[in-house]
Amino acid sequence: MDASEEPLPPVIYTMENKPIVTCAGDQNLFTSVYPTLSQQLPREPMEWRRSYGRAPKMIHLESNFVQFKEELLPKEGNKALLTFPFLHIYWTECCDTEVYKATVKDDLTKWQNVLKAHSSVDWLIVIVENDAKKKNKTNILPRTSIVDKIRNDFCNKQSDRCVVLSDPLKDSSRTQESWNAFLTKLRTLLLMSFTKNLGKFEDDMRTLREKRTEPGWSFCEYFMVQEELAFVFEMLQQFEDALVQYDELDALFSQYVVNFGAGDGANWLTFFCQPVKSWNGLILRKPIDMEKRESIQRREATLLDLRSYLFSRQCTLLLFLQRPWEVAQRALELLHNCVQELKLLELKSLGYLCGLVSEKGPNSEDLNRTVDLLAGLGAERPETANTAQSPYKKLKEALSSVEAFEKHYLDLSHATIEMYTSIGRIRSAKFVGKDLAEFYMRKKAPQKAEIYLQGALKNYLAEGWALPITHTRKQLAECQKHLGQIENYLQTSSLLASDHHLTEEERKHFCQEILDFASQPSDSPGHKIVLPMHSFAQLRDLHFDPSNAVVHVGGVLCVEITMYSQMPVPVHVEQIVVNVHFSIEKNSYRKTAEWLTKHKTSNGIINFPPETAPFPVSQNSLPALELYEMFERSPSDNSLNTTGIICRNVHMLLRRQESSSSLEMPSGVALEEGAHVLRCSHVTLEPGANQITFRTQAKEPGTYTLRQLCASVGSVWFVLPHIYPIVQYDVYSQEPQLHVEPLADSLLAGIPQRVKFTVTTGHYTIKNGDSLQLSNAEAMLILCQAESRAVVYSNTRAPALGGESDMLGMAEPHRKHKDKQRTGRCMVTTDHKVSIDCPWSIYSTVIALTFSVPFRTTHSLLSSGTRKYVQVCVQNLSELDFQLSDSYLVDTGDSTDLQLVPLNTQSQQPIYSKQSVFFVWELKWTEEPPPSLHCRFSVGFSPASEEQLSISLKPYTYEFKVENFFTLYNVKAEIFPPSGMEYCRTGSLCSLEVLITRLSDLLEVDKDEALTESDEHFSTKLMYEVVDNSSNWAVCGKSCGVISMPVAARATHRVHMEVMPLFAGYLPLPDVRLFKYLPHHSAHSSQLDADSWIENDSLSVDKHGDDQPDSSSLKSRGSVHSACSSEHKGLPMPRLQALPAGQVFNSSSGTQVLVIPSQDDHVLEVSVT
Amino acid sequence: MAVCIAVIAKENYPLYIRSTPTENELKFHYMVHTSLDVVDEKISAMGKALVDQRELYLGLLYPTEDYKLCRYGYVTNSKVKFVMVVDSSNTALRDNEIRSMFRKLHNSYTDVMCNPFYNPGDRIQSRAFDNMVTSMMIQVC
């Protein structure tokens, strides 16, 4: 058999029961055949068809062959199936008819009758044919064999009940065949018998079960019946079926128990309700615990007995089924990993019961109980008695002495922990470890308990189980107290004191433990116990005053923190210290300003994330992702190269997850000793939020980072090792600074103005008597008032001493001429430097002040015939109004006879912003005037709005030169209507008469290239030109010509021209211009202007030809548009030079001629000018 | 019906744990915590075998002898575990009923998660969930 042939461990019992087959007849024959038979029978499987639609099974048959006795046949009503003979075989070797008739037939008949009497129909007759015997009597039985006879006699209709086995002991093919036939027959008959008998049995059993509601029904009885069935199945190696029987029994029994519990009591159950006297251990090593079975049979079994018997049977079957794991599952689903724990639990509870675990050792009552218990265990089973490791011995030993119990208990616990750890059930291992720790604590071995408690606590902390944490911590605290680990104990106490899962009393107790310790005078005064802060109090927020956390040297900084005390009672703290790390800043102030905008909240409050609570560790301990956009641009063209997202706090996120043990380990906290501390003494921390204010005076400039927060209670220091997020404050030292700035928008030259001096003292302290020494340029005056005042301002951002002193800066209004013409409208500026000596520096501060000149001045020469006037125009460019006074124009030259007669009536004149004022003087002279005149204009000015100034201001001066200012020529033009007409008419030619008169004799100014001398007469060449820019007139014929003008007074030249008015009305006369005509040889390079010389004038009409009286004049058909002297490109051309404005007086300028429209005009155009 | 119902986060910390007030709460905490061992074991075994089956119910985890309690496990797809401790003396409770209780629990938990004000990973403080758990615990007690 598969199961039994397996090399099973010796504890597993091999099933010895086999279906019984009786043998009658020739016993010697059977004995000779038996070895082969028992070997061959199970070799081939047989299909077993079952009743009730159960699936057919292939089974290997095996039999227990016994000698036939009548007692073996079951009597009526015997339900025992195990001893039931399933088949009866009659063996005979008879081959002789005589012998057959004489003995065998009678024997057979008798056998048959016995069977019939017991209504057993399962039988078989085997006739063994032996060749050796047969040979001797071949002739005796020629035709009918014994087989036929037997068949005739006994198997009237069942011929298959008789088989022939030929030469069973020989090794021939015939023998083999005959064996096979025989075995097949045998198996078939056996199965038939099984089917029939088992079916009948099952039917009976069911009938019995149906009666279970009847009063007299007994479960035990039924149990025995169904178990019988199970036995048979087991016997047939049908362990599955056998197991089903037990499961059914189990279920039935459970159902009864449940019903019993529900009040539906069955009588038979009361048998089980006896007090438990015995608690024999379960025996798995025997297939059938016959003692228990018998007790069940006798209805004396207890519930425990029944249960354990059932279970042991189930286990046995499961083991046969090669399913030990199911044994485990069924054994409270525990075997492969939990059996040890079960034992442990049982053992420990037994230990409790017997007082072995108690600290005092067993007392008498406990001892009594122990004795009872040992008695209840019963006698040790003989089969285990010899083994040293038997559980009974162990248990007995354990229960009989404390030491032994301890030893066994520890053995088991360690084994369990090891087992759990190795199969990965860490939590269970920790739990057992905790139990073990409790045991150690009871045994006064806290040093051994600690490691288990720590291990368990670590596990709970890692997974965030609050209640187990609290509980384990409480145990740990006790343990540490016993061990005298003061630091650890205090730390655990502080954790417990802040634990909200504990009651208020417990928390107070632990808090008091800390305070008691703290108040003890310590042995060594410097000794500190450093504990982490987070359990004691939490830093909630921090607030700087000033809120930007930037303070100048010497300034006062307040740091206000909110601490949330976790203690249940108010705690008096001797001092709270913030250790500050000082670093000298490099680019601090800029950095600070930037930092301010970036990092600080507007109100200056920094909130701290709440300390990670014990749970959930894995989530809250991670800071949030700080993601930022990132753009990278190419440096050359600012185009986007790459973009992306960067995480700023990678270092926080990607660091190794520290084991949470650090939470518990005080070694992680190191007290930093720093030179810079913020201190606050004698604070009482109430439970909940507390405000604590630190005050410090800033000393050295730099960045101060708040590192650690310590609170000391006696010799106990609670330390927050790192303040995160980083909190910094900056102390800056500013060098004294001096700013000078005007009060108005800009400084104007020439008038007193106020300038503000701002001194930012920075770190420098102004002492009494400190002064600023100003060294100024000469051109600028500093007007100091008698009482110089300085106002000290102090503003919050940067306290500074601001001084304001009046300085009346006045730049000299005298201007260099060249400066003036630079820009049209803008004021000319000039810089003046002021050097200031400050008391805090050995170097002078040089400050440049920019002054703007408020005026712009132009001059012009005006003529009236030979009388000359000088006009000066003063333009106010500034925003201020001024009062002008005392205008003077003086000739700085040496001509004494020149008189400048002012025509200005008012001495005082206002000049408003952006307005102009004109001054005019007449030039008078008696002798011949000099060719040029140097003048200086000066005018006093003062701001119009100012009250009377105490000082006299320098006047504004303007120097200029006037040249060629007296008149040489008088030009007079007249237009006459055509002859016979009263008025000029449009379209008709009128005559233009130009009269050029020289007014003076030869003068110095005439001496130039144009002057020609002949016979002591001097003449100069002039070119005239008639231009009508307003296109009122059309000049007919030559519009220009060159004349030779004698250089003598009263010399006159007359020119006639034809002009035609184009419009009607009063028309101004066309302009007549005069140029000096310089000969070509003068090597004068002038700018070349190709357009300025136009050969043909389209309008010119050659009418009057060369009608000029002075025929020496050059005939020119060109019209000269350009007033500038010009020379034709590349050709030696004469040059024209404009006469200075003062030398030509046009006496007819401004006159107008009336032109009336022509009569036949249909269209009248009137031009009004 | 149930004497203790616990919801345990993926990281094995309790999101919700509730036991009958008459019994020692701590004991249940320890009990549920140790049963996580079995849950882990079952999940890792399931990971190989039952990927497709979407079977969330883990079945009986761990019967405890001394208290006549059985623990059943259930794990959601997001590895949130439900552990229920039931009184095993109550044999009327069949596997299917346990399953349906777990389904109810799961549905209620899903509702909690759907709450936009609930931060996944926080302890469950929903009143609706609490009431549902209470109803499941009261049924027999």
Side-chain angles (χ1 to χ4, degrees):
Chain A
M1 294 313 302
D2 288 353
S4 51
E5 279 166 16
E6 283 282 326
L8 290 170
V11 285
I12 294 179
Y13 169 84
T14 25
M15 186 68 193
E16 295 295 343
N17 286 337
K18 293 169 187 172
I20 291 172
V21 176
T22 62
C23 299
D26 192 341
Q27 289 300 317
N28 291 334
L29 172 67
F30 170 70
T31 315
S32 67
V33 178
Y34 173 71
T36 323
L37 180 64
S38 59
Q39 193 195 348
Q40 294 289 326
L41 184 61
R43 189 156 286 173
E44 299 266 323
M46 216 33 209
E47 195 186 65
W48 185 23
R49 298 180 190 280
R50 316 274 307 274
S51 57
Y52 296 109
R54 278 173 283 193
K57 289 207 171 157
M58 300 300 286
I59 61 172
H60 295 264
L61 285 167
E62 214 174 355
S63 286
N64 198 8
F65 296 94
V66 297
Q67 193 173 359
F68 176 76
K69 285 170 193 159
E70 200 178 338
E71 304 91 85
L72 282 174
L73 293 173
K75 294 175 183 68
E76 198 60 43
N78 191 350
K79 301 286 187 221
L81 269 178
L82 268 186
T83 52
F84 185 83
F86 286 93
L87 190 63
H88 309 275
I89 304 175
Y90 190 90
W91 297 85
T92 181
E93 210 180 8
C94 177
C95 52
D96 191 343
T97 320
E98 300 308 314
V99 178
Y100 170 71
K101 278 182 181 167
T103 54
V104 178
K105 191 177 178 184
D106 290 348
D107 203 19
L108 265 171
T109 313
K110 211 195 289 170
W111 178 69
Q112 285 268 317
N113 289 338
V114 173
L115 291 181
K116 270 177 194 159
H118 288 92
S119 62
S120 177
V121 291
D122 306 299
W123 52 266
L124 178 71
I125 299 166
V126 184
I127 300 153
V128 179
E129 281 185 356
N130 202 318
D131 278 354
K133 283 187 181 176
K134 217 178 178 180
K135 247 179 195 171
N136 300 338
K137 302 169 182 177
T138 323
N139 45 352
I140 298 168
L141 276 171
R143 294 204 44 209
T144 57
S145 63
I146 295 291
V147 181
D148 297 327
K149 277 189 183 298
I150 290 174
R151 277 184 185 150
N152 274 334
D153 291 346
F154 299 101
C155 325
N156 34 9
K157 277 163 193 165
Q158 297 167 294
S159 59
D160 56 338
R161 292 284 172 162
C162 184
V163 286
V164 176
L165 187 61
S166 305
D167 291 333
L169 299 177
K170 284 195 179 163
D171 191 15
S172 69
S173 61
R174 190 159 168 269
T175 308
Q176 199 61 44
E177 256 177 57
S178 117
W179 261 115
N180 283 347
F182 167 66
L183 286 171
T184 311
K185 177 68 74 182
L186 185 59
R187 286 175 194 138
T188 314
L189 288 173
L190 264 173
L191 280 179
M192 274 168 63
S193 171
F194 288 157
T195 313
K196 196 170 71 199
N197 289 304
L198 287 182
K200 187 164 165 279
F201 188 85
E202 281 179 15
D203 287 345
D204 290 349
M205 191 185 79
R206 263 180 223 106
T207 317
L208 185 60
R209 193 163 61 194
E210 293 313 311
K211 290 179 186 165
R212 66 179 181 272
T213 45
E214 289 173 16
W217 193 79
S218 164
F219 177 77
C220 292
E221 204 175 303
Y222 175 73
F223 183 90
M224 288 300 148
V225 172
Q226 189 158 9
E227 195 188 19
E228 200 70 31
L229 186 63
F231 284 152
V232 173
F233 280 125
E234 188 183 351
M235 184 174 76
L236 295 176
Q237 316 287 340
Q238 300 306 305
F239 300 113
E240 289 278 10
D241 294 294
L243 191 57
V244 167
Q245 307 310 317
Y246 281 109
D247 288 349
E248 280 179 17
L249 279 172
D250 197 350
L252 186 66
F253 185 70
S254 302
Q255 190 61 47
Y256 268 109
V257 174
V258 169
N259 291 353
F260 186 74
D264 177 19
N267 283 338
W268 57 268
L269 259 175
T270 49
F271 294 118
F272 294 103
C273 298
Q274 300 156 5
V276 177
K277 289 190 214 106
S278 158
W279 32 83
N280 283 323
L282 243 149
I283 306 163
L284 295 182
R285 88 186 57 206
K286 286 198 295 184
I288 302 176
D289 186 347
M290 289 313 284
E291 279 179 43
K292 285 212 174 73
R293 188 164 194 267
E294 278 162 21
S295 70
I296 294 167
Q297 216 164 3
R298 289 196 305 272
R299 307 188 185 184
E300 283 168 1
T302 58
L303 184 90
L304 192 62
D305 285 338
L306 182 67
R307 277 281 177 204
S308 58
Y309 177 72
L310 259 178
F311 179 66
S312 72
R313 290 296 299 145
Q314 286 168 337
C315 289
T316 311
L317 291 170
L318 284 168
L319 288 174
F320 280 132
L321 284 168
Q322 303 284 298
R323 297 201 307 229
W325 57 90
E326 263 191 57
V327 176
Q329 278 171 1
R330 282 164 186 259
L332 302 173
E333 316 274 339
L334 290 178
L335 181 73
H336 65 290
N337 45 30
C338 304
V339 161
Q340 302 224 24
E341 193 197 32
L342 252 178
K343 280 184 186 169
L344 172 75
L345 288 171
E346 279 177 8
L347 186 59
K348 199 180 73 174
S349 46
L350 285 175
Y352 274 126
L353 204 61
C354 304
L356 294 177
V357 194
S358 74
E359 292 167 35
K360 296 186 284 281
N363 54 24
S364 61
E365 197 185 323
D366 291 333
L367 282 173
N368 280 341
R369 213 181 290 145
T370 312
V371 172
D372 284 349
L373 190 71
L374 288 177
L377 279 172
E380 199 168 6
R381 295 302 180 277
E383 60 269 357
T384 57
N386 296 329
T387 52
Q389 290 294 310
S390 86
Y392 285 98
K393 274 183 185 163
K394 272 193 189 174
L395 194 55
K396 266 188 182 171
E397 194 189 341
L399 291 176
S400 36
S401 84
V402 177
E403 290 74 25
F405 175 80
E406 196 175 317
K407 180 179 161 292
H408 287 303
Y409 182 74
L410 294 184
D411 282 351
L412 282 174
S413 298
H414 287 300
T416 313
I417 292 172
E418 241 169 71
M419 172 71 88
Y420 271 140
T421 313
S422 66
I423 63 167
R425 294 198 169 180
I426 304 297
R427 298 179 191 89
S428 307
K430 298 292 182 202
F431 189 65
V432 176
K434 240 173 64 64
D435 271 347
L436 189 56
E438 275 171 42
F439 175 77
Y440 276 130
M441 285 303 291
R442 235 175 241 111
K443 288 286 165 194
K444 302 246 187 219
Q447 70 281 358
K448 286 183 185 160
E450 194 203 354
I451 183 167
Y452 293 107
L453 290 173
Q454 290 279 16
L457 180 58
K458 197 169 153 186
N459 184 245
Y460 297 139
L461 276 173
E463 298 194 328
W465 286 74
L467 277 186
I469 287 171
T470 309
H471 180 239
T472 312
R473 266 199 191 132
K474 249 165 78 183
Q475 292 177 323
L476 188 62
E478 196 191 338
C479 173
Q480 285 165 340
K481 193 178 183 182
H482 282 299
L483 283 176
Q485 298 177 337
I486 292 165
E487 278 189 39
N488 294 355
Y489 176 62
L490 289 178
Q491 194 194 338
T492 314
S493 296
S494 76
L495 286 167
L496 285 167
S498 62
D499 198 328
H500 294 279
H501 294 285
L502 288 178
T503 60
E504 190 73 15
E505 282 70 38
E506 282 173 303
R507 290 179 61 193
K508 277 181 183 158
H509 163 74
F510 285 111
C511 185
Q512 200 55 47
E513 288 281 305
I514 302 171
L515 296 179
D516 285 350
F517 178 82
S519 58
Q520 280 170 16
S522 68
D523 322 333
S524 49
H527 183 66
K528 288 174 189 169
I529 302 250
V530 177
L531 299 178
M533 167 86 77
H534 66 91
S535 58
F536 173 72
Q538 290 181 354
L539 186 58
R540 285 287 166 88
D541 54 52
L542 186 148
H543 169 68
F544 281 111
D545 181 30
S547 60
N548 56 7
V550 178
V551 138
H552 66 279
V553 170
V556 175
L557 179 85
C558 283
V559 185
E560 191 175 281
I561 61 172
T562 305
M563 277 181 91
Y564 192 88
S565 173
Q566 311 264 35
M567 293 292 115
V569 292
V571 177
H572 179 259
V573 178
E574 268 120 70
Q575 56 176 357
I576 296 181
V577 175
V578 180
N579 273 306
V580 179
H581 177 259
F582 167 66
S583 66
I584 294 171
E585 51 198 332
K586 279 145 195 121
N587 49 354
S588 62
Y589 200 54
R590 291 285 144 257
K591 190 182 151 239
T592 308
E594 188 194 351
W595 197 75
L596 282 178
T597 53
K598 271 192 182 171
H599 290 265
K600 296 240 167 143
T601 47
S602 55
N603 52 7
I605 294 177
I606 298 154
N607 286 305
F608 293 93
E611 286 278 345
T612 49
F615 51 85
V617 177
S618 47
Q619 257 191 345
N620 281 5
S621 60
L622 281 183
L625 278 177
E626 285 179 37
L627 294 177
Y628 290 89
E629 289 172 75
M630 185 264 299
F631 300 105
E632 195 177 300
R633 292 177 187 278
S634 131
S636 54
D637 54 351
N638 205 34
S639 63
L640 195 61
N641 270 354
T642 52
T643 182
I645 291 174
I646 52 168
C647 176
R648 288 250 177 108
N649 53 354
V650 178
H651 59 287
M652 303 286 297
L653 293 163
L654 293 188
R655 69 179 172 191
R656 191 174 59 87
Q657 284 291 307
E658 281 174 36
S659 58
S660 52
S661 65
S662 61
L663 287 174
E664 297 292 304
M665 295 300 165
S667 56
V669 180
L671 195 60
E672 267 184 28
E673 289 293 342
H676 301 270
V677 288
L678 304 176
R679 201 180 295 272
C680 195
S681 295
H682 294 288
V683 181
T684 300
L685 290 179
E686 299 288 336
N690 293 272
Q691 298 275 340
I692 297 151
T693 307
F694 299 92
R695 215 170 264 280
T696 184
Q697 188 166 30
K699 290 189 188 87
E700 284 177 72
T703 302
Y704 292 80
T705 311
L706 272 56
R707 282 284 185 81
Q708 281 194 340
L709 182 67
C710 312
S712 71
V713 181
S715 53
V716 180
W717 286 69
F718 293 99
V719 178
L720 180 67
H722 303 289
I723 296 178
Y724 184 84
I726 291 168
V727 181
Q728 291 179 322
Y729 68 89
D730 293 281
V731 174
Y732 66 94
S733 103
Q734 199 183 13
E735 289 302 313
Q737 285 182 328
L738 175 68
H739 292 283
V740 179
E741 53 195 336
L743 283 178
D745 290 343
S746 62
L747 288 171
L748 294 174
I751 54 167
Q753 282 155 101
R754 283 168 187 259
V755 176
K756 188 168 82 176
F757 279 65
T758 308
V759 177
T760 310
T761 53
H763 65 78
Y764 182 78
T765 315
I766 300 280
K767 293 179 283 291
N768 196 14
D770 276 347
S771 61
L772 296 177
Q773 196 174 338
L774 273 61
S775 319
N776 59 318
E778 280 176 18
M780 189 175 71
L781 298 177
I782 295 174
L783 310 173
C784 274
Q785 283 173 341
E787 14 96 50
S788 173
R789 62 202 161 81
V791 186
V792 178
Y793 297 100
S794 175
N795 49 17
T796 51
R797 174 62 79 92
L801 190 67
E804 190 190 5
S805 70
D806 283 346
M807 186 182 80
L808 301 173
M810 189 170 68
E812 196 152 299
H814 177 78
R815 308 291 323 141
K816 294 271 183 293
H817 219 90
K818 59 178 184 203
D819 285 343
K820 243 182 157 170
Q821 310 299 337
R822 262 196 314 221
T823 48
R825 282 280 148 198
C826 292
M827 287 187 275
V828 181
T829 58
T830 180
D831 286 348
H832 289 282
K833 290 202 167 90
V834 184
S835 140
I836 303 167
D837 291 319
C838 309
W840 55 79
S841 170
I842 56 166
Y843 302 105
S844 305
T845 312
V846 177
I847 286 168
L849 293 173
T850 303
F851 292 92
S852 306
V853 181
F855 302 118
R856 191 167 65 147
T857 318
T858 51
H859 71 275
S860 55
L861 184 70
L862 306 174
S863 309
S864 171
T866 52
R867 295 169 75 169
K868 293 292 170 182
Y869 306 91
V870 172
Q871 178 190 275
V872 175
C873 170
V874 177
Q875 195 180 358
N876 183 3
L877 298 173
S878 75
E879 302 289 333
L880 283 175
D881 299 337
F882 288 99
Q883 193 75 31
L884 297 181
S885 59
D886 305 326
S887 55
Y888 292 105
L889 185 70
V890 290
D891 175 26
T892 55
D894 47 0
S895 53
T896 49
D897 61 331
L898 196 67
Q899 265 189 313
L900 288 165
V901 182
L903 301 178
N904 313 308
T905 52
Q906 290 168 300
S907 65
Q908 294 262 336
Q909 210 163 4
I911 177 166
Y912 297 105
S913 174
K914 312 287 183 198
Q915 302 293 322
S916 300
V917 166
F918 294 87
F919 298 94
V920 180
W921 281 266
E922 185 179 1
L923 283 169
K924 286 189 176 169
W925 58 90
T926 49
E927 293 173 19
E928 182 181 306
S932 68
L933 185 63
H934 289 272
C935 297
R936 182 169 48 198
F937 169 73
S938 75
V939 63
F941 67 101
S942 61
S945 57
E946 285 291 310
E947 67 277 15
Q948 198 62 40
L949 286 164
S950 56
I951 51 142
S952 58
L953 301 177
K954 280 196 174 178
Y956 174 75
T957 58
Y958 172 63
E959 282 187 34
F960 58 95
K961 196 168 99 176
V962 182
E963 284 179 317
N964 301 327
F965 55 87
F966 49 82
T967 313
L968 291 182
Y969 303 100
N970 186 18
V971 178
K972 189 179 177 191
E974 267 182 300
I975 286 182
F976 303 100
S979 53
M981 301 257 236
E982 199 177 345
Y983 298 106
C984 299
R985 282 178 188 275
T986 54
S988 60
L989 288 173
C990 307
S991 68
L992 168 72
E993 195 164 293
V994 178
L995 197 68
I996 301 167
T997 313
R998 173 139 188 138
L999 299 177
S1000 65
D1001 291 326
L1002 182 67
L1003 288 173
E1004 278 299 303
V1005 292
D1006 287 323
K1007 289 175 180 162
D1008 58 9
E1009 298 146 283
L1011 192 70
T1012 50
E1013 186 184 354
S1014 57
D1015 306 332
E1016 297 184 4
H1017 291 286
F1018 291 96
S1019 68
T1020 186
K1021 279 188 176 163
L1022 294 176
M1023 195 185 103
Y1024 68 87
E1025 186 193 17
V1026 178
V1027 177
D1028 181 34
N1029 283 334
S1030 52
S1031 305
N1032 291 326
W1033 304 90
V1035 180
C1036 304
K1038 288 199 317 183
S1039 63
C1040 57
V1042 176
I1043 55 169
S1044 183
M1045 194 72 179
V1047 183
R1050 314 251 53 95
T1052 305
H1053 197 93
R1054 198 180 292 267
V1055 179
H1056 282 282
M1057 268 184 233
E1058 300 276 289
V1059 292
M1060 186 165 70
L1062 301 175
F1063 300 102
Y1066 283 101
L1067 299 182
L1069 293 182
D1071 289 340
V1072 177
R1073 297 178 188 168
L1074 272 187
F1075 299 94
K1076 237 176 211 179
Y1077 191 84
L1078 300 176
H1080 64 84
H1081 59 262
S1082 72
H1084 191 282
S1085 75
S1086 69
Q1087 72 264 45
L1088 299 174
D1089 192 354
D1091 298 330
S1092 62
W1093 194 272
I1094 297 165
E1095 287 291 334
N1096 276 311
D1097 188 350
S1098 57
L1099 275 176
S1100 62
V1101 180
D1102 203 349
K1103 262 223 163 153
H1104 46 94
D1106 190 10
D1107 55 350
Q1108 288 172 356
D1110 203 333
S1111 57
S1112 65
S1113 65
L1114 179 80
K1115 281 190 182 173
S1116 168
R1117 290 173 56 84
S1119 82
V1120 180
H1121 289 259
S1122 172
C1124 310
S1125 64
S1126 60
E1127 195 172 13
H1128 201 277
K1129 194 192 325 184
L1131 291 172
M1133 277 295 179
R1135 290 184 298 122
L1136 293 178
Q1137 195 180 36
L1139 283 167
Q1143 288 185 347
V1144 179
F1145 176 70
N1146 195 339
S1147 60
S1148 59
S1149 70
T1151 54
Q1152 290 179 331
V1153 172
L1154 178 67
V1155 177
I1156 57 169
S1158 56
Q1159 284 159 337
D1160 53 346
D1161 268 353
H1162 341 294
V1163 180
L1164 179 67
E1165 281 186 75
V1166 178
S1167 163
V1168 180
T1169 56
Chain B
M1 204 169 264
V3 287
C4 176
I5 289 175
V7 181
I8 290 139
K10 185 172 171 249
E11 293 87 359
N12 287 336
Y13 62 88
L15 290 174
Y16 182 91
I17 181 158
R18 173 95 179 277
S19 52
T20 42
T22 50
E23 306 245 14
N24 182 9
E25 197 184 352
L26 180 65
K27 181 188 77 188
F28 284 112
H29 278 247
Y30 278 126
M31 203 184 280
V32 172
H33 184 247
T34 36
S35 66
L36 287 178
D37 272 337
V38 191
V39 173
D40 279 358
E41 220 169 72
K42 292 215 177 195
I43 290 171
S44 62
M46 211 170 67
K48 291 159 201 152
L50 303 167
V51 179
D52 304 325
Q53 296 200 0
R54 302 271 184 270
E55 175 60 283
L56 305 177
Y57 180 55
L58 295 178
L60 182 67
L61 296 180
Y62 196 128
T64 317
E65 201 183 45
D66 35 349
Y67 300 114
K68 285 183 187 153
L69 302 168
C70 290
R71 291 165 234 182
Y72 292 90
Y74 188 85
V75 61
T76 69
N77 288 322
S78 53
K79 299 276 179 287
V80 170
K81 296 134 197 154
F82 300 141
V83 174
M84 203 184 306
V85 184
V86 297
D87 200 332
S88 66
S89 62
N90 186 1
T91 43
L93 215 54
R94 294 275 169 232
D95 222 32
N96 270 340
E97 292 170 62
I98 301 273
R99 265 175 207 269
S100 77
M101 278 165 77
F102 272 126
R103 258 195 296 277
K104 233 167 95 184
L105 197 64
H106 196 177
N107 285 342
S108 190
Y109 174 73
T110 313
D111 289 346
V112 170
M113 293 299 286
C114 289
N115 177 4
F117 297 102
Y118 173 75
N119 211 355
D122 284 358
R123 289 185 147 251
I124 296 172
Q125 279 157 341
S126 156
R127 199 176 297 159
F129 189 79
D130 216 43
N131 291 341
M132 198 276 311
V133 169
T134 310
S135 77
M136 277 168 62
M137 290 172 67
I138 276 177
Q139 258 173 329
V140 159
C141 296

